[in-house]
Amino acid sequence: MADRLFVEEKVIDLFRNLTLASYTKKPDIKTQPFSELKTTFLWAVSIGLREGKRLPLEGAREGLFRYSNLDREELSFIKIIALADTEDINILTDENEDEVQKIAEEYANEGIRIINEFLKNGSGDPLWKFVELLDT
């Protein structure tokens, strides 16, 4: 099992730009609606899942956050997604943890692209664009 959840190096800034960080000079929830990278990642997973699309990671990868930072509910969330995706109960065993991570990473990889395209179209703060995205 990898100790981190990975994203493509070329999209890591999309995750970071949506996440409040201590180094941000003027943190603003309207422009950075997520408090942690894992929350941004889980939203991207959700959007990818909603669209029913996984996109394998290509090229250089970078660890976004430690897998152990997921709490029990968050870990259950990605395991349920993997179970639904594979329709195989064995995905929930410890031996298949790498596959669970891969499935989450691929849904997030597609989801962050969908989020980015949605945020680029039109005007408005990311927070309100996310509300709009949920209504679509």
Side-chain angles (χ1 to χ4, degrees):
M1 169 180 71
D3 71 331
R4 293 188 176 273
L5 283 159
F6 289 89
V7 296
E8 291 179 357
E9 189 176 86
K10 63 186 172 189
V11 299
I12 196 161
D13 284 339
L14 298 176
F15 287 94
R16 290 178 178 153
N17 290 340
L18 292 170
T19 307
L20 286 172
S22 58
Y23 56 81
T24 305
K25 292 181 181 179
K26 291 185 176 182
D28 184 353
I29 194 163
K30 288 187 256 171
T31 58
Q32 296 174 303
F34 301 109
S35 61
E36 297 178 83
L37 287 167
K38 70 177 184 175
T39 309
T40 310
F41 178 85
L42 292 170
W43 267 87
V45 169
S46 299
I47 297 298
L49 178 67
R50 184 181 83 170
E51 297 300 314
K53 295 180 182 175
R54 288 171 50 185
L55 181 63
L57 277 63
E58 295 181 357
R61 303 174 341 146
E62 192 168 330
L64 189 63
F65 63 92
R66 292 193 181 281
Y67 189 68
S68 61
N69 286 352
L70 292 173
D71 65 29
R72 200 167 89 197
E73 290 82 17
E74 294 160 341
L75 187 55
S76 294
F77 172 69
I78 65 168
K79 284 185 174 189
I80 288 169
I81 289 170
L83 177 61
D85 191 76
T86 63
E87 298 180 353
D88 181 2
I89 194 73
N90 293 317
I91 195 73
L92 302 177
T93 63
D94 291 340
E95 301 87 53
N96 290 312
E97 201 71 33
D98 285 339
E99 186 64 19
V100 170
Q101 290 176 341
K102 178 182 171 194
I103 291 168
E105 290 167 350
E106 290 179 356
Y107 275 120
N109 197 31
E110 177 65 23
I112 198 65
R113 285 169 166 76
I114 293 167
I115 290 167
N116 186 50
E117 281 302 309
F118 196 82
L119 294 177
K120 285 189 337 187
N121 294 329
S123 61
D125 293 321
L127 175 64
W128 300 117
K129 295 292 282 182
F130 267 102
V131 172
E132 188 179 326
L133 178 61
L134 294 175
D135 285 339
T136 61

